[in-house]
Amino acid sequence: MAQHSWGTSYSGPSPATLSERPGTPSPAAHRLLSLDIVLALLALAGGLRVLYLAATTPALPAESANVAHAYALGHFTPFTDAGGAGVSPFGWWQLSAYTMVTDAFGRSASALGAVRETMLVAAVAGIVLLWVLARRLGLTRWASAAAVVLVAASPLALGLQRLVVVEHLAVVWALGALVLVTKPGGRIRHDVLAAICLLAAVLTSPLALFFLPAAGWLLVRRAPARAALVAVLLNLGLGIAFGPAADVLRPHLAAASRPSVADWVALDPAWAVLSTVALVAALAVTALRPLAVSGLLLAATLAIPGVPDTAVLALLLPLTPLLLAGVAQAMTRQRTAAHRWEAGRSRGIALATVVLVAVVAVGWVYGYPALKPSTDRRGPLAEAQEWLQANASGARLLVDDAAWAELAKAGWPTGMLAAPAACAATCPPAEWAVFTGDGADLRQHFPALDGTLGTAGVTAVFGAGEGRVTVSRLGLSPADPAGPSESSARAHAGEALASSARISLTPDAAAVLRAGRADPRLIATIAALAALQPVRVTAFPEVPGEDPAGQPRRRVLLAGGEDGAAEFYAGQRDLFRPSSVARTAGGVLVTYPLFAPTGLLVPFSSP
């Protein structure tokens, strides 16, 4: 009777004898079954992650800096982020290498989507390694599959593993090392590769140091003499990386920021409860004890101020489901001589399993909608980039980290893009500013940036909430509070134009005129055109992004008398010359450039 590390006794025939019995599946059949299970799990994990890749929440501020660094390294362009995103040269090189080899920036609609693709590949690789590790630790196929499903389908995992954080790369290296040190009959080459994987994990994220106890413990169990070799190799590599090569290899953690651990747990409360139980209970299972110790050490860092919760959870994410599945397997394998009690206990376990599955399902029903999946892979920054290409092409821009990456990918010369880090003393000359959110943290961190944006005029706004992108014109003269109101002048002139018998308007077009939302150049030229021929105004089409910024409509669609209207506007000069006159299926579309001069209309003041 053999005693196994799961705490169970087995006195029946050996596996070899079982495999020789008629009707028993052959080892090849078992391998095919394992392959089928793994492929199905990969399809589940990959499919869900593709679906939620463009989810907008939860958002991580540091993500944009990692995307910008990946682009800059791959295109040999200098870039300095605004700070707070951490430092991981080796992690950035990995991100950059993937995007270069696969041409991800060329294929993707956005820079963020290109680098998030790397996270998807890392998640799928982690799924495979988690399965192999579970099997080598003694979990059955179905227990291993349960552990993988918890990682593959949890809303918390879907939301977390889509974010560009280097810890997702670090945990893949760490899992690879654990797979190598648990290989039955492993040779010295496997131990050397394990040391290299552990070194790569630590160079990617310092938090991966907490995997060293588990790897060392497992290696000592298998080959105590070679554990010293791995320790020497690992210490040598870390000594070089954190010593002579520190300037180019030493990583630093990102600053603590939202989402917090509470934000993540809200996506899957059952994961938090079950993970806590698994980390503690796994200490009682011999095979899982090394991983439980590393997991508890990692979890303890959540209580340390300044440690980013998202980074810690990224490393814990594949670990706790493995421990949970292992603990459940150990409980079901316990034997007792009392058959009646055993039957009752089995019914209790079955009932507990049903309740557990129901609790997890209820949490997932809430968590999936909270991720807000989106089929739009472009986002507000892509819309802002198109607007800038049309209205400020070639201009010098002051941009945040996220805008830097998207505009650089779109082909904007990086020499014309100034990141907030350039405002350490004074901001470089720029004509426009493009920032995501309200930029309050950046303005507080860089006083020179705050002074520059203080004179900016909001010109276009794209998106809403935390992902809102604001495009502002820099260096505008402040409006004179005692001067005449341009909006009231536009409303007064628009009312007069709407009352003209020679001008016919759709209800929407009339509403725009009467509200003072039409460009004064359009009001003046429509009045002049009406003196020459009857005018029918179909619409004042919005330029995307400008209505939320309070800009007047500077486009008009004219129907009827189209030849005369097109000739009239094509012949305008100076202030009244439009930027484009185009014939469309709906009529003549006239577009004026931004920023009409003040004083074109007679101010109106009520008596």
Side-chain angles (χ1 to χ4, degrees), residues 117-176:
E117 185 180 306
T118 314
M119 298 296 98
L120 188 153
V121 173
V124 171
I127 291 292
V128 175
L129 293 171
L130 181 62
W131 167 270
V132 177
L133 178 60
R135 296 290 289 145
R136 288 187 176 177
L137 288 174
L139 271 70
T140 64
R141 290 183 186 85
W142 304 114
S144 302
V148 171
V149 167
L150 287 174
V151 178
S154 168
L156 188 151
L158 295 177
L160 183 57
Q161 290 186 329
R162 84 189 200 288
L163 295 178
V164 182
V165 292
V166 294
E167 281 71 22
H168 294 317
L169 304 175
V171 78
V172 172
W173 287 111
L175 289 173

CSV table of all heavy atoms in Angstrom, one decimal, residues 117-176:
chain,number,residue,atom,x,y,z
A,117,GLU,N,-3.1,42.5,-27.9
A,117,GLU,CA,-3.0,41.2,-28.6
A,117,GLU,C,-1.9,40.4,-27.9
A,117,GLU,O,-2.0,39.1,-27.8
A,117,GLU,CB,-2.7,41.4,-30.1
A,117,GLU,CG,-2.7,40.1,-30.9
A,117,GLU,CD,-2.4,40.4,-32.3
A,117,GLU,OE1,-3.2,41.3,-32.9
A,117,GLU,OE2,-1.5,39.8,-32.9
A,118,THR,N,-0.8,41.0,-27.5
A,118,THR,CA,0.3,40.3,-26.8
A,118,THR,C,-0.2,39.7,-25.5
A,118,THR,O,0.1,38.6,-25.1
A,118,THR,CB,1.4,41.3,-26.5
A,118,THR,OG1,1.7,42.0,-27.7
A,118,THR,CG2,2.7,40.5,-26.1
A,119,MET,N,-1.1,40.5,-24.8
A,119,MET,CA,-1.7,39.9,-23.6
A,119,MET,C,-2.5,38.7,-23.8
A,119,MET,O,-2.6,37.8,-23.0
A,119,MET,CB,-2.5,41.0,-22.9
A,119,MET,CG,-1.7,42.3,-22.5
A,119,MET,SD,-0.4,41.9,-21.2
A,119,MET,CE,1.1,41.8,-22.3
A,120,LEU,N,-3.3,38.7,-24.9
A,120,LEU,CA,-4.1,37.6,-25.3
A,120,LEU,C,-3.2,36.3,-25.5
A,120,LEU,O,-3.6,35.3,-25.0
A,120,LEU,CB,-4.9,37.9,-26.5
A,120,LEU,CG,-6.0,36.9,-27.0
A,120,LEU,CD1,-7.1,37.6,-27.7
A,120,LEU,CD2,-5.4,35.8,-27.8
A,121,VAL,N,-2.1,36.5,-26.2
A,121,VAL,CA,-1.3,35.4,-26.5
A,121,VAL,C,-0.6,34.9,-25.2
A,121,VAL,O,-0.5,33.7,-24.9
A,121,VAL,CB,-0.2,35.8,-27.5
A,121,VAL,CG1,0.9,34.7,-27.6
A,121,VAL,CG2,-0.8,36.1,-28.9
A,122,ALA,N,-0.2,35.8,-24.3
A,122,ALA,CA,0.3,35.4,-23.0
A,122,ALA,C,-0.7,34.7,-22.2
A,122,ALA,O,-0.4,33.7,-21.5
A,122,ALA,CB,0.8,36.7,-22.3
A,123,ALA,N,-2.0,35.1,-22.2
A,123,ALA,CA,-3.0,34.4,-21.4
A,123,ALA,C,-3.2,33.0,-22.0
A,123,ALA,O,-3.4,32.0,-21.2
A,123,ALA,CB,-4.3,35.2,-21.5
A,124,VAL,N,-3.2,32.8,-23.3
A,124,VAL,CA,-3.4,31.5,-23.8
A,124,VAL,C,-2.2,30.6,-23.5
A,124,VAL,O,-2.4,29.4,-23.2
A,124,VAL,CB,-3.6,31.6,-25.4
A,124,VAL,CG1,-3.6,30.2,-26.0
A,124,VAL,CG2,-4.9,32.3,-25.7
A,125,ALA,N,-1.0,31.1,-23.6
A,125,ALA,CA,0.2,30.4,-23.2
A,125,ALA,C,0.1,30.0,-21.7
A,125,ALA,O,0.5,28.9,-21.3
A,125,ALA,CB,1.5,31.2,-23.5
A,126,GLY,N,-0.4,30.9,-20.9
A,126,GLY,CA,-0.5,30.6,-19.5
A,126,GLY,C,-1.5,29.5,-19.2
A,126,GLY,O,-1.3,28.6,-18.3
A,127,ILE,N,-2.6,29.4,-20.0
A,127,ILE,CA,-3.5,28.3,-19.9
A,127,ILE,C,-2.9,27.0,-20.1
A,127,ILE,O,-3.1,26.0,-19.4
A,127,ILE,CB,-4.7,28.5,-20.9
A,127,ILE,CG1,-5.5,29.8,-20.5
A,127,ILE,CG2,-5.6,27.3,-21.0
A,127,ILE,CD1,-6.3,29.6,-19.2
A,128,VAL,N,-2.1,26.9,-21.2
A,128,VAL,CA,-1.4,25.6,-21.5
A,128,VAL,C,-0.4,25.2,-20.3
A,128,VAL,O,-0.4,24.1,-19.9
A,128,VAL,CB,-0.6,25.7,-22.8
A,128,VAL,CG1,0.2,24.5,-23.1
A,128,VAL,CG2,-1.5,26.0,-24.0
A,129,LEU,N,0.4,26.2,-19.8
A,129,LEU,CA,1.3,25.9,-18.8
A,129,LEU,C,0.6,25.5,-17.5
A,129,LEU,O,1.0,24.7,-16.7
A,129,LEU,CB,2.2,27.1,-18.5
A,129,LEU,CG,3.2,27.4,-19.7
A,129,LEU,CD1,3.8,28.8,-19.5
A,129,LEU,CD2,4.2,26.3,-19.8
A,130,LEU,N,-0.6,26.2,-17.2
A,130,LEU,CA,-1.3,25.8,-16.0
A,130,LEU,C,-1.8,24.4,-16.1
A,130,LEU,O,-1.8,23.7,-15.1
A,130,LEU,CB,-2.5,26.8,-15.9
A,130,LEU,CG,-3.4,26.6,-14.7
A,130,LEU,CD1,-2.6,26.8,-13.4
A,130,LEU,CD2,-4.6,27.6,-14.7
A,131,TRP,N,-2.3,24.0,-17.2
A,131,TRP,CA,-2.7,22.6,-17.4
A,131,TRP,C,-1.6,21.6,-17.2
A,131,TRP,O,-1.7,20.6,-16.4
A,131,TRP,CB,-3.3,22.4,-18.8
A,131,TRP,CG,-3.5,21.0,-19.2
A,131,TRP,CD1,-2.6,20.1,-19.8
A,131,TRP,CD2,-4.7,20.2,-19.0
A,131,TRP,NE1,-3.2,18.9,-20.0
A,131,TRP,CE2,-4.4,18.9,-19.5
A,131,TRP,CE3,-5.9,20.5,-18.4
A,131,TRP,CZ2,-5.4,17.9,-19.5
A,131,TRP,CZ3,-6.9,19.4,-18.4
A,131,TRP,CH2,-6.6,18.2,-18.9
A,132,VAL,N,-0.5,21.9,-17.8
A,132,VAL,CA,0.7,21.0,-17.6
A,132,VAL,C,1.1,20.9,-16.1
A,132,VAL,O,1.4,19.8,-15.6
A,132,VAL,CB,1.8,21.4,-18.5
A,132,VAL,CG1,3.1,20.5,-18.3
A,132,VAL,CG2,1.4,21.3,-20.0
A,133,LEU,N,1.2,22.1,-15.5
A,133,LEU,CA,1.6,22.1,-14.1
A,133,LEU,C,0.7,21.3,-13.2
A,133,LEU,O,1.1,20.6,-12.3
A,133,LEU,CB,1.7,23.6,-13.6
A,133,LEU,CG,2.1,23.8,-12.2
A,133,LEU,CD1,3.5,23.2,-11.9
A,133,LEU,CD2,2.1,25.3,-11.8
A,134,ALA,N,-0.6,21.5,-13.5
A,134,ALA,CA,-1.6,20.8,-12.7
A,134,ALA,C,-1.5,19.3,-12.8
A,134,ALA,O,-1.5,18.6,-11.8
A,134,ALA,CB,-3.0,21.3,-13.1
A,135,ARG,N,-1.3,18.8,-14.0
A,135,ARG,CA,-1.1,17.4,-14.3
A,135,ARG,C,0.2,16.9,-13.6
A,135,ARG,O,0.2,15.8,-13.0
A,135,ARG,CB,-1.0,17.1,-15.8
A,135,ARG,CG,-2.3,17.5,-16.5
A,135,ARG,CD,-3.4,16.5,-16.2
A,135,ARG,NE,-3.2,15.2,-16.7
A,135,ARG,CZ,-3.6,14.1,-16.1
A,135,ARG,NH1,-4.1,14.1,-14.9
A,135,ARG,NH2,-3.3,12.9,-16.7
A,136,ARG,N,1.2,17.7,-13.6
A,136,ARG,CA,2.5,17.2,-13.0
A,136,ARG,C,2.4,17.2,-11.5
A,136,ARG,O,3.2,16.5,-10.8
A,136,ARG,CB,3.7,18.1,-13.5
A,136,ARG,CG,4.0,17.8,-15.0
A,136,ARG,CD,5.2,18.5,-15.4
A,136,ARG,NE,5.6,18.1,-16.8
A,136,ARG,CZ,6.6,18.6,-17.5
A,136,ARG,NH1,7.3,19.5,-17.0
A,136,ARG,NH2,6.8,18.1,-18.8
A,137,LEU,N,1.5,18.0,-11.0
A,137,LEU,CA,1.4,18.1,-9.5
A,137,LEU,C,0.4,17.0,-9.0
A,137,LEU,O,0.2,16.8,-7.8
A,137,LEU,CB,0.8,19.4,-9.1
A,137,LEU,CG,1.8,20.6,-9.1
A,137,LEU,CD1,1.1,21.9,-8.8
A,137,LEU,CD2,3.0,20.3,-8.2
A,138,GLY,N,-0.1,16.2,-10.0
A,138,GLY,CA,-1.0,15.1,-9.6
A,138,GLY,C,-2.5,15.3,-9.7
A,138,GLY,O,-3.2,14.4,-9.4
A,139,LEU,N,-2.9,16.4,-10.3
A,139,LEU,CA,-4.3,16.6,-10.5
A,139,LEU,C,-4.8,15.7,-11.6
A,139,LEU,O,-4.1,15.5,-12.6
A,139,LEU,CB,-4.6,18.1,-10.8
A,139,LEU,CG,-4.9,19.0,-9.5
A,139,LEU,CD1,-3.6,19.2,-8.8
A,139,LEU,CD2,-5.5,20.3,-10.0
A,140,THR,N,-6.0,15.3,-11.5
A,140,THR,CA,-6.6,14.5,-12.6
A,140,THR,C,-7.0,15.4,-13.8
A,140,THR,O,-6.9,16.7,-13.6
A,140,THR,CB,-7.9,13.8,-12.1
A,140,THR,OG1,-8.9,14.9,-11.8
A,140,THR,CG2,-7.7,13.0,-10.9
A,141,ARG,N,-7.4,14.8,-14.9
A,141,ARG,CA,-7.7,15.6,-16.0
A,141,ARG,C,-8.8,16.6,-15.7
A,141,ARG,O,-8.8,17.8,-16.1
A,141,ARG,CB,-8.1,14.8,-17.2
A,141,ARG,CG,-7.0,14.0,-17.8
A,141,ARG,CD,-7.5,13.2,-19.0
A,141,ARG,NE,-6.4,12.3,-19.5
A,141,ARG,CZ,-6.2,11.1,-19.0
A,141,ARG,NH1,-6.9,10.6,-18.0
A,141,ARG,NH2,-5.2,10.4,-19.5
A,142,TRP,N,-9.8,16.1,-15.0
A,142,TRP,CA,-11.0,16.9,-14.8
A,142,TRP,C,-10.8,18.0,-13.7
A,142,TRP,O,-11.3,19.1,-13.8
A,142,TRP,CB,-12.2,16.0,-14.4
A,142,TRP,CG,-12.4,15.0,-15.4
A,142,TRP,CD1,-12.3,13.6,-15.3
A,142,TRP,CD2,-12.8,15.2,-16.8
A,142,TRP,NE1,-12.5,13.0,-16.5
A,142,TRP,CE2,-12.8,14.0,-17.5
A,142,TRP,CE3,-13.0,16.4,-17.5
A,142,TRP,CZ2,-13.1,13.9,-18.8
A,142,TRP,CZ3,-13.4,16.3,-18.9
A,142,TRP,CH2,-13.4,15.0,-19.5
A,143,ALA,N,-9.9,17.7,-12.7
A,143,ALA,CA,-9.5,18.7,-11.8
A,143,ALA,C,-8.7,19.8,-12.4
A,143,ALA,O,-8.9,21.0,-12.2
A,143,ALA,CB,-8.8,18.1,-10.6
A,144,SER,N,-7.8,19.3,-13.3
A,144,SER,CA,-7.0,20.3,-14.1
A,144,SER,C,-7.9,21.2,-15.0
A,144,SER,O,-7.7,22.4,-15.1
A,144,SER,CB,-5.9,19.6,-14.9
A,144,SER,OG,-5.1,18.8,-14.1
A,145,ALA,N,-8.8,20.5,-15.6
A,145,ALA,CA,-9.8,21.3,-16.5
A,145,ALA,C,-10.6,22.3,-15.7
A,145,ALA,O,-10.8,23.4,-16.1
A,145,ALA,CB,-10.7,20.3,-17.2
A,146,ALA,N,-11.0,21.9,-14.4
A,146,ALA,CA,-11.7,22.8,-13.6
A,146,ALA,C,-10.9,24.1,-13.3
A,146,ALA,O,-11.4,25.2,-13.3
A,146,ALA,CB,-12.2,22.1,-12.3
A,147,ALA,N,-9.6,23.8,-12.9
A,147,ALA,CA,-8.7,25.0,-12.6
A,147,ALA,C,-8.6,25.9,-13.8
A,147,ALA,O,-8.6,27.1,-13.7
A,147,ALA,CB,-7.4,24.4,-12.2
A,148,VAL,N,-8.4,25.3,-15.0
A,148,VAL,CA,-8.3,26.1,-16.2
A,148,VAL,C,-9.5,26.9,-16.5
A,148,VAL,O,-9.5,28.0,-16.9
A,148,VAL,CB,-7.8,25.2,-17.4
A,148,VAL,CG1,-7.8,26.0,-18.7
A,148,VAL,CG2,-6.4,24.7,-17.1
A,149,VAL,N,-10.7,26.2,-16.4
A,149,VAL,CA,-12.0,26.9,-16.7
A,149,VAL,C,-12.1,28.1,-15.8
A,149,VAL,O,-12.6,29.2,-16.2
A,149,VAL,CB,-13.2,25.9,-16.5
A,149,VAL,CG1,-14.5,26.7,-16.5
A,149,VAL,CG2,-13.2,24.9,-17.6
A,150,LEU,N,-11.8,28.0,-14.5
A,150,LEU,CA,-11.9,29.1,-13.6
A,150,LEU,C,-11.1,30.3,-14.1
A,150,LEU,O,-11.5,31.5,-13.9
A,150,LEU,CB,-11.5,28.7,-12.2
A,150,LEU,CG,-12.4,27.8,-11.4
A,150,LEU,CD1,-11.8,27.4,-10.1
A,150,LEU,CD2,-13.8,28.5,-11.2
A,151,VAL,N,-9.9,30.1,-14.6
A,151,VAL,CA,-9.1,31.1,-15.2
A,151,VAL,C,-9.6,31.6,-16.5
A,151,VAL,O,-9.6,32.8,-16.8
A,151,VAL,CB,-7.6,30.7,-15.3
A,151,VAL,CG1,-6.8,31.8,-15.9
A,151,VAL,CG2,-7.0,30.3,-14.0
A,152,ALA,N,-10.0,30.7,-17.3
A,152,ALA,CA,-10.4,31.0,-18.7
A,152,ALA,C,-11.7,31.8,-18.8
A,152,ALA,O,-11.8,32.7,-19.6
A,152,ALA,CB,-10.6,29.7,-19.5
A,153,ALA,N,-12.6,31.5,-17.9
A,153,ALA,CA,-14.0,32.1,-18.0
A,153,ALA,C,-14.3,33.1,-16.9
A,153,ALA,O,-15.4,33.8,-17.0
A,153,ALA,CB,-15.0,31.0,-18.0
A,154,SER,N,-13.5,33.3,-15.9
A,154,SER,CA,-13.9,34.3,-14.9
A,154,SER,C,-13.9,35.7,-15.4
A,154,SER,O,-13.0,36.1,-16.1
A,154,SER,CB,-12.9,34.2,-13.7
A,154,SER,OG,-13.0,35.3,-12.8
A,155,PRO,N,-14.9,36.5,-15.1
A,155,PRO,CA,-15.0,37.9,-15.5
A,155,PRO,C,-13.8,38.7,-15.0
A,155,PRO,O,-13.3,39.6,-15.7
A,155,PRO,CB,-16.3,38.4,-15.0
A,155,PRO,CG,-17.1,37.2,-14.7
A,155,PRO,CD,-16.2,36.1,-14.4
A,156,LEU,N,-13.3,38.3,-13.8
A,156,LEU,CA,-12.1,39.0,-13.3
A,156,LEU,C,-10.9,38.7,-14.1
A,156,LEU,O,-10.2,39.7,-14.5
A,156,LEU,CB,-11.9,38.5,-11.8
A,156,LEU,CG,-10.8,39.3,-11.0
A,156,LEU,CD1,-11.2,39.2,-9.5
A,156,LEU,CD2,-9.4,38.7,-11.3
A,157,ALA,N,-10.8,37.5,-14.6
A,157,ALA,CA,-9.6,37.1,-15.4
A,157,ALA,C,-9.7,37.8,-16.8
A,157,ALA,O,-8.7,38.3,-17.3
A,157,ALA,CB,-9.5,35.6,-15.6
A,158,LEU,N,-10.9,37.9,-17.3
A,158,LEU,CA,-11.1,38.5,-18.6
A,158,LEU,C,-10.8,40.0,-18.6
A,158,LEU,O,-10.2,40.5,-19.5
A,158,LEU,CB,-12.6,38.3,-19.1
A,158,LEU,CG,-13.0,36.8,-19.4
A,158,LEU,CD1,-14.4,36.8,-19.8
A,158,LEU,CD2,-12.1,36.3,-20.5
A,159,GLY,N,-11.3,40.6,-17.5
A,159,GLY,CA,-11.0,42.1,-17.4
A,159,GLY,C,-9.6,42.4,-17.1
A,159,GLY,O,-9.0,43.3,-17.6
A,160,LEU,N,-8.9,41.5,-16.3
A,160,LEU,CA,-7.5,41.8,-15.9
A,160,LEU,C,-6.5,41.4,-17.0
A,160,LEU,O,-5.6,42.2,-17.2
A,160,LEU,CB,-7.2,41.0,-14.6
A,160,LEU,CG,-5.9,41.1,-14.0
A,160,LEU,CD1,-5.6,42.6,-13.6
A,160,LEU,CD2,-5.8,40.3,-12.7
A,161,GLN,N,-6.7,40.3,-17.6
A,161,GLN,CA,-5.7,39.8,-18.6
A,161,GLN,C,-5.8,40.5,-19.9
A,161,GLN,O,-4.9,40.2,-20.8
A,161,GLN,CB,-5.9,38.3,-18.8
A,161,GLN,CG,-5.5,37.5,-17.5
A,161,GLN,CD,-5.5,36.0,-17.8
A,161,GLN,OE1,-6.3,35.5,-18.5
A,161,GLN,NE2,-4.6,35.3,-17.1
A,162,ARG,N,-6.7,41.4,-20.1
A,162,ARG,CA,-6.7,42.2,-21.3
A,162,ARG,C,-5.8,43.4,-21.2
A,162,ARG,O,-5.4,44.0,-22.2
A,162,ARG,CB,-8.2,42.6,-21.7
A,162,ARG,CG,-8.6,43.9,-21.0
A,162,ARG,CD,-10.1,44.2,-21.2
A,162,ARG,NE,-10.3,45.6,-20.9
A,162,ARG,CZ,-10.3,46.2,-19.7
A,162,ARG,NH1,-10.0,45.4,-18.6
A,162,ARG,NH2,-10.5,47.4,-19.5
A,163,LEU,N,-5.5,43.8,-20.0
A,163,LEU,CA,-4.7,45.0,-19.7
A,163,LEU,C,-3.3,44.8,-20.0
A,163,LEU,O,-2.7,43.7,-19.7
A,163,LEU,CB,-4.9,45.5,-18.3
A,163,LEU,CG,-6.3,45.9,-17.9
A,163,LEU,CD1,-6.3,46.3,-16.4
A,163,LEU,CD2,-6.8,47.1,-18.7
A,164,VAL,N,-2.6,45.8,-20.5
A,164,VAL,CA,-1.2,45.7,-20.9
A,164,VAL,C,-0.4,46.0,-19.6
A,164,VAL,O,0.0,47.1,-19.3
A,164,VAL,CB,-0.8,46.7,-22.0
A,164,VAL,CG1,0.7,46.5,-22.3
A,164,VAL,CG2,-1.7,46.4,-23.2
A,165,VAL,N,-0.2,45.0,-18.8
A,165,VAL,CA,0.7,45.1,-17.6
A,165,VAL,C,1.7,43.9,-17.7
A,165,VAL,O,1.4,42.8,-18.1
A,165,VAL,CB,-0.1,44.9,-16.3
A,165,VAL,CG1,-1.0,46.2,-16.1
A,165,VAL,CG2,-0.9,43.7,-16.3
A,166,VAL,N,3.0,44.2,-17.4
A,166,VAL,CA,4.1,43.3,-17.6
A,166,VAL,C,3.9,42.1,-16.7
A,166,VAL,O,4.6,41.0,-17.0
A,166,VAL,CB,5.4,44.0,-17.4
A,166,VAL,CG1,5.6,45.0,-18.5
A,166,VAL,CG2,5.5,44.6,-16.0
A,167,GLU,N,3.2,42.1,-15.7
A,167,GLU,CA,3.0,41.0,-14.8
A,167,GLU,C,2.4,39.8,-15.5
A,167,GLU,O,2.6,38.6,-15.1
A,167,GLU,CB,2.2,41.4,-13.5
A,167,GLU,CG,3.0,42.1,-12.5
A,167,GLU,CD,3.3,43.5,-12.9
A,167,GLU,OE1,2.6,44.1,-13.8
A,167,GLU,OE2,4.3,44.1,-12.3
A,168,HIS,N,1.6,40.0,-16.5
A,168,HIS,CA,1.0,38.9,-17.3
A,168,HIS,C,2.1,38.2,-18.0
A,168,HIS,O,2.0,36.9,-18.2
A,168,HIS,CB,0.0,39.4,-18.3
A,168,HIS,CG,-1.2,40.0,-17.7
A,168,HIS,ND1,-1.9,39.5,-16.6
A,168,HIS,CD2,-1.9,41.2,-18.0
A,168,HIS,CE1,-2.9,40.2,-16.3
A,168,HIS,NE2,-2.9,41.2,-17.1
A,169,LEU,N,3.2,38.9,-18.4
A,169,LEU,CA,4.3,38.2,-19.0
A,169,LEU,C,5.1,37.5,-18.0
A,169,LEU,O,5.6,36.4,-18.2
A,169,LEU,CB,5.2,39.2,-19.8
A,169,LEU,CG,4.5,40.0,-20.9
A,169,LEU,CD1,5.5,41.1,-21.4
A,169,LEU,CD2,4.0,39.1,-22.0
A,170,ALA,N,5.3,38.1,-16.8
A,170,ALA,CA,6.1,37.5,-15.7
A,170,ALA,C,5.5,36.2,-15.3
A,170,ALA,O,6.3,35.3,-15.0
A,170,ALA,CB,6.2,38.5,-14.6
A,171,VAL,N,4.2,36.1,-15.1
A,171,VAL,CA,3.6,34.9,-14.6
A,171,VAL,C,3.7,33.8,-15.6
A,171,VAL,O,3.8,32.6,-15.2
A,171,VAL,CB,2.1,35.2,-14.3
A,171,VAL,CG1,1.2,35.2,-15.5
A,171,VAL,CG2,1.6,34.1,-13.3
A,172,VAL,N,3.8,34.1,-16.9
A,172,VAL,CA,4.0,33.0,-17.9
A,172,VAL,C,5.4,32.4,-17.7
A,172,VAL,O,5.6,31.2,-17.7
A,172,VAL,CB,3.8,33.6,-19.3
A,172,VAL,CG1,4.3,32.5,-20.4
A,172,VAL,CG2,2.4,33.9,-19.6
A,173,TRP,N,6.4,33.3,-17.5
A,173,TRP,CA,7.8,32.8,-17.3
A,173,TRP,C,7.8,32.0,-16.0
A,173,TRP,O,8.5,30.9,-15.9
A,173,TRP,CB,8.7,34.0,-17.1
A,173,TRP,CG,9.1,34.7,-18.4
A,173,TRP,CD1,8.7,36.0,-18.8
A,173,TRP,CD2,9.9,34.2,-19.5
A,173,TRP,NE1,9.2,36.3,-20.0
A,173,TRP,CE2,9.9,35.2,-20.5
A,173,TRP,CE3,10.5,33.0,-19.7
A,173,TRP,CZ2,10.6,35.0,-21.7
A,173,TRP,CZ3,11.3,32.8,-20.9
A,173,TRP,CH2,11.3,33.8,-21.8
A,174,ALA,N,7.1,32.5,-14.9
A,174,ALA,CA,7.1,31.7,-13.7
A,174,ALA,C,6.5,30.4,-13.8
A,174,ALA,O,7.0,29.4,-13.3
A,174,ALA,CB,6.4,32.6,-12.6
A,175,LEU,N,5.3,30.3,-14.5
A,175,LEU,CA,4.7,29.0,-14.7
A,175,LEU,C,5.6,28.1,-15.5
A,175,LEU,O,5.6,26.9,-15.3
A,175,LEU,CB,3.3,29.2,-15.4
A,175,LEU,CG,2.2,29.9,-14.6
A,175,LEU,CD1,1.0,30.2,-15.5
A,175,LEU,CD2,1.8,28.9,-13.5
A,176,GLY,N,6.3,28.7,-16.5
A,176,GLY,CA,7.2,27.8,-17.3
A,176,GLY,C,8.3,27.2,-16.4
A,176,GLY,O,8.7,26.1,-16.5
